[in-house]
């Protein structure tokens, strides 16, 4: 317990200053003006943090409420993950110049800025670990991802409540952060329990007015985490998910496809999705061209295009690809499922498809709910 | 393959273009940087990403490498390949590679070797056939089965005629949509050739390349005929954009076809290829 310190709330701005003094731009959760959601954006100080804001999430719904609490981190998670700060949704890979019949390839300078992210959740840290496995630990290292990853400082904050869409307890990735952070905070009523996870983190907090953490602080933090563990949604366990490969012809895929719009929102907000397409952007004067990559989705029509045919030709095939990749095929690829329980796919699905419920139904662990038919009576019709 | 950035192509010059059929051409390419040419080596079955200036990249299997130049046989079917066919000799393109897994030519030594191809599927295996022919004594019987829609789509027929005369070698050709049965040609799909082929089912390696359905049907038939599934190899085609297992488009179940494949031993993909649209 000796590594646990206490940071009064008034000193949080000091932490942000210390991070900035170490040369980092600071990214934190902030309310997206006029959009009603929290996103990670650059912040100037504590005044940009969502003090007293609480999120209410349901399938297809995300609402912020004012609570009057002095807390800055009393929300479950943000609309987008921290993924865009490491694996960029758009990225120039190289440039090519056409001159006198020759073509000259020029690599892109990779000078990533030192970036600190404040308020990282356990689900997103676990997802970062999965993206590291994909982009850094395979046969080929992705130099663009690597450049940003190496410049990243992570200040995690344990969740104080779970949203209705959260299920990190069942994937084993939360609610507490256990690894992968530089600094870890538990937000309490009047301050923060603080732990350091790296030398870099230790150097940043060295000059802060840290106090000794009391037994009361520890108990309060533990109680908070314990409360977060009670989550409404539970993903099937490893053994059950291992049966997903036997369900490829399940009738349920057709049922999901009747509701799924194939819009790709789920893949856009997913903290582990890595698919991207390569794009060519030629200059108008014809003298040069740029080669980019753009985030792609397995729900897009041309994702599985090969000459003359599309392998996954319908929504049924695409939803099946999305779920079986995430919960089944990720295991041979990276040794575990590709889901960390953040619940964003369910929250941001415009028709409210519940990823966890669908997994349970496909595996025969839950009954499919009776479809709710719209009431057609006088009062409804009058609207 | 360069290790610091596998996305960045090298420049190469089109030294020669051989128009094989109205829509199939072979490029002889030379890397502008001689150092790249010296360090380049490929295994039969691997592919390169070929880049057309201002348009994009396409995955094409490597035909051969004579130490100075590399060769690619390409069918002009898509946006990029159609434009590539129009490039003049002396033009420059981008090349990166090689990527992917290779045919088991070492493991096949001492065994009968069977090639089954359909359509342009013959291109990715032709380099392997040539390798076996060049090292004829190291292998047992050589059986080549090739199916096309029409005889005039068949590539390199004179070469097939030449291979036919080799000892312990069978060349079986079939046209699935022709009405006329030419000498040495059968009518129908590749399955009509399987009965004629003579090889040791217990001691062979079968290498297949062509449409998914052709390979899957052939593999299942051969297993029924008594060829061990572990002796069957297929080369798969999927959407490949990055070629390094990052972009996700080529996934087939838990496999990244670009880096785990494109050559797979049949049991690796047999179940996956049973599922339509997976």
């Amino acid at each position: 317990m000796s590594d646990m310190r206490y940071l009064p709330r008034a000193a949080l701005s000091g932490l942000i200053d210390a991070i900035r003094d170490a040369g980092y731009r600071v990214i934190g959760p902030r309310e997206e003006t006029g959009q009603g959601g929290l996103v990670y954006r650059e912040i100037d100080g504590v005044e940009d943090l969502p003090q007293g804001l609480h999120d209410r999430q349901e399938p297809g719904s995300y609402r912020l409420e004012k609570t009057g609490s002095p807390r800055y981190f009393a929300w479950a998670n943000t609309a987008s993950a921290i993924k865009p700060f490491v694996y960029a949704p758009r990225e120039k890979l190289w440039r090519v110049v056409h001159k006198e019949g020759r073509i000259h390839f020029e690599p892109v300078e990779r000078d990533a800025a030192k970036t600190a992210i404040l308020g990282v959740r356990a689900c997103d840290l676990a997802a970062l670990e999965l993206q590291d496995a994909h982009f850094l630990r395979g046969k080929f290292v992705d130099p663009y991802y690597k450049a940003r990853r190496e410049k990243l400082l992570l200040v995690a904050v344990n969740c104080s409540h779970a949203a209705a869409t959260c299920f990190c307890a069942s994937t084993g990735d939360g609610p507490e952060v256990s690894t992968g952070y530089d600094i870890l905070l538990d937000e309490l009523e009047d301050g923060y329990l603080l732990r350091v996870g790296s030398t870099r983190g230790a150097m940043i907090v060295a000059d802060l007015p840290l106090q000794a953490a009391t037994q009361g602080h520890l108990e309060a933090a533990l109680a908070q985490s314990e409360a977060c563990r009670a989550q409404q949604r539970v993903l099937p366990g490893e053994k059950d998910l291992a049966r997903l490969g036997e369900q490829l012809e399940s009738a349920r895929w057709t049922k999901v496809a009747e509701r799924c719009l194939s819009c790709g929102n789920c893949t856009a907000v997913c903290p582990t999705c890595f698919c991207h397409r390569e794009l060519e952007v030629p200059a108008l004067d014809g003298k040069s061209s740029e080669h980019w990559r753009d985030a792609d989705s397995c729900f897009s029509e041309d994702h599985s295009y090969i000459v003359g045919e599309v392998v996954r030709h319908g929504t049924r095939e695409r939803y099946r690809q999305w779920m079986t990749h995430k919960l089944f095929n990720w295991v041979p690829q990276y040794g575990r499922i590709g889901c960390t329980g953040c619940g964003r796919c369910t929250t941001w699905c415009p028709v409210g498809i519940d990823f966890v419920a669908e997994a349970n139904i496909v595996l025969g662990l839950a009954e499919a709910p009776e479809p709710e038919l719209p009431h057609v009576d006088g009062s409804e019709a009058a609207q | 393959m360069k290790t610091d950035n596998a996305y960045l192509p090298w420049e190469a010059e089109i030294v020669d273009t051989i128009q094989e059929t109205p829509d199939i051409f072979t490029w002889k390419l030379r890397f502008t940087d001689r150092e790249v040419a010296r360090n380049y080596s490929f295994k039969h079955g691997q592919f390169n990403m070929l880049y057309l200036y201002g348009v994009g990249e396409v995955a094409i299997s490597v035909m051969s490498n004579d130490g100075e130049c590399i060769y690619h046989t390409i069918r002009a079917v898509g946006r990029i390949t159609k434009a590539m066919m129009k490039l003049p000799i002396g033009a420059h393109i981008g090349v990166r590679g090689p990527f992917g897994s290779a045919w088991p030519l070492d493991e096949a030594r001492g065994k009968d070797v069977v090639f089954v191809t359909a359509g342009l599927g013959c291109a990715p295996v032709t380099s392997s056939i040539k390798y076996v022919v060049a090292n004829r004594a190291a292998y047992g019987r050589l059986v080549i089965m090739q199916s096309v829609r029409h005889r005039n789509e068949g590539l390199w027929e004179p070469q097939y005629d030449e291979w036919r005369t080799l000892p312990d070698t069978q060349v079986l050709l079939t046209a699935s949509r022709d009405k006329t049965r030419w000498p040495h040609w059968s009518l129908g799909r590749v399955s009509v050739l399987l009965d004629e082929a003579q090889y040791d089912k217990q001691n062979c390696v079968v290498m297949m390349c062509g449409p998914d359905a052709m390979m899957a049907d052939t593999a299942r038939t051969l297993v029924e005929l008594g060829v061990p599934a572990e002796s069957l190899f297929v080369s798969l085609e999927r959407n490949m954009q990055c070629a390094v297992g990052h972009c996700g488009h080529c996934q087939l179940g838990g496999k990244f076809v670009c880096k785990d494949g494109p050559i797979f031993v049949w049991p690796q993909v047999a179940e996956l290829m049973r599922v339509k649209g997976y």
Side-chain angles (χ1 to χ4, degrees), chain B residues 48-65:
Chain B
N48 280 335
M49 295 301 289
L50 303 185
Y51 167 74
L52 177 65
Y53 172 73
V55 183
E57 290 183 310
V58 61
I60 306 284
S61 61
V62 188
M63 178 65 62
S64 58
N65 171 14

Side-chain angles (χ1 to χ4, degrees), chain B residues 194 208 212-227 232 266 269-275:
Chain B
L194 295 177
M208 290 180 266
D212 277 11
M214 180 284 279
M215 294 190 288
D217 288 348
T218 307
R220 284 176 207 129
T221 306
L222 290 175
V223 170
E224 278 171 26
L225 290 173
V227 181
L232 307 175
W266 178 239
V269 292
E271 284 307 313
L272 293 169
M273 287 179 74
R274 227 178 255 285
V275 187

Side-chain angles (χ1 to χ4, degrees), chain A residues 35-288:
Chain A
Q35 300 289 314
L38 294 180
V39 287
Y40 288 105
R41 291 278 186 275
E42 189 152 2
I43 57 166
D44 290 326
V46 288
E47 65 278 8
D48 290 331
L49 294 174
Q51 190 170 34
L53 284 184
H54 176 86
D55 57 338
R56 189 169 292 279
Q57 300 188 44
E58 293 291 343
S61 168
Y62 185 106
R63 296 285 180 273
L64 285 179
E65 295 169 351
K66 286 198 164 60
T67 63
S69 157
R71 292 182 181 231
Y72 294 110
F73 303 96
W75 39 272
N77 62 25
T78 47
S80 55
I82 62 170
K83 181 170 82 172
F85 295 98
V86 199
Y87 160 46
R90 289 211 83 188
E91 181 127 51
K92 193 203 293 186
L93 299 180
W94 40 263
R95 183 170 179 269
V96 56
V97 177
H98 193 263
K99 206 175 174 186
E100 291 157 6
R102 298 277 307 275
I103 52 175
H104 304 275
F105 294 96
E106 297 171 355
V108 172
E109 289 296 318
R110 294 187 295 271
D111 53 348
K114 283 174 82 176
T115 300
I117 309 182
L118 172 64
V120 182
R121 298 310 198 187
C123 52
D124 287 350
L125 264 190
L128 182 66
E129 177 72 19
L130 280 174
Q131 291 239 310
D132 285 354
H134 180 72
F135 286 111
L136 300 179
R137 298 202 205 104
K139 182 178 168 197
F140 296 96
V141 172
D142 187 286
Y144 310 92
Y145 181 96
K146 182 167 181 259
R148 290 200 194 83
R149 183 68 178 93
E150 285 172 347
K151 297 286 180 67
L152 208 56
L153 182 90
L154 296 160
V155 183
V157 181
N158 275 326
C159 283
S160 58
H161 86 280
T165 45
C166 291
F167 56 98
C168 64
S170 57
T171 64
D173 296 303
E176 303 97 336
V177 169
S178 52
T179 175
Y181 59 86
D182 293 290
I183 298 166
L184 171 61
L185 307 175
D186 282 88
E187 185 171 44
L188 305 175
E189 242 357 76
D190 48 10
Y192 303 87
L193 196 61
L194 184 149
R195 272 164 280 193
V196 157
S198 70
T199 315
R200 285 190 305 178
M203 285 167 69
I204 281 164
V205 303
D207 294 331
L208 293 180
L210 295 175
Q211 304 169 4
T214 66
Q215 191 62 28
H217 294 141
L218 295 180
E219 282 169 9
L222 271 177
Q224 248 174 210
S225 290
E226 210 43 52
C228 282
R229 194 167 289 283
Q231 296 174 347
Q232 295 178 26
R233 288 178 163 76
V234 179
L235 194 71
E238 264 176 48
K239 272 191 187 150
D240 281 317
L241 290 178
R243 292 191 290 110
L244 211 44
E246 301 157 21
Q247 303 301 324
L248 299 179
E249 304 294 357
S250 162
R252 188 64 193 171
W253 303 120
T254 309
K255 286 295 190 193
V256 184
E258 286 171 2
R259 289 174 293 148
C260 174
L261 306 177
S262 213
C263 71
N265 261 20
C266 47
T267 57
V269 293
C270 177
T272 68
C273 271
F274 52 67
C275 283
H276 54 264
R277 68 179 64 209
E278 297 201 5
L279 292 176
E280 191 73 12
V281 186
L284 282 176
D285 65 6
K287 291 176 181 165
S288 67

Side-chain angles (χ1 to χ4, degrees), chain A residues 327-359:
Chain A
L327 300 180
F328 179 71
N329 288 322
W330 210 291
V331 178
Q333 289 175 347
Y334 298 110
R336 57 156 291 174
I337 62 167
C339 174
T340 62
C342 76
R344 289 185 179 94
C345 54
T346 301
T347 296
W348 295 98
C349 174
V351 294
I353 294 172
D354 184 332
F355 186 69
V356 173
E358 291 302 330

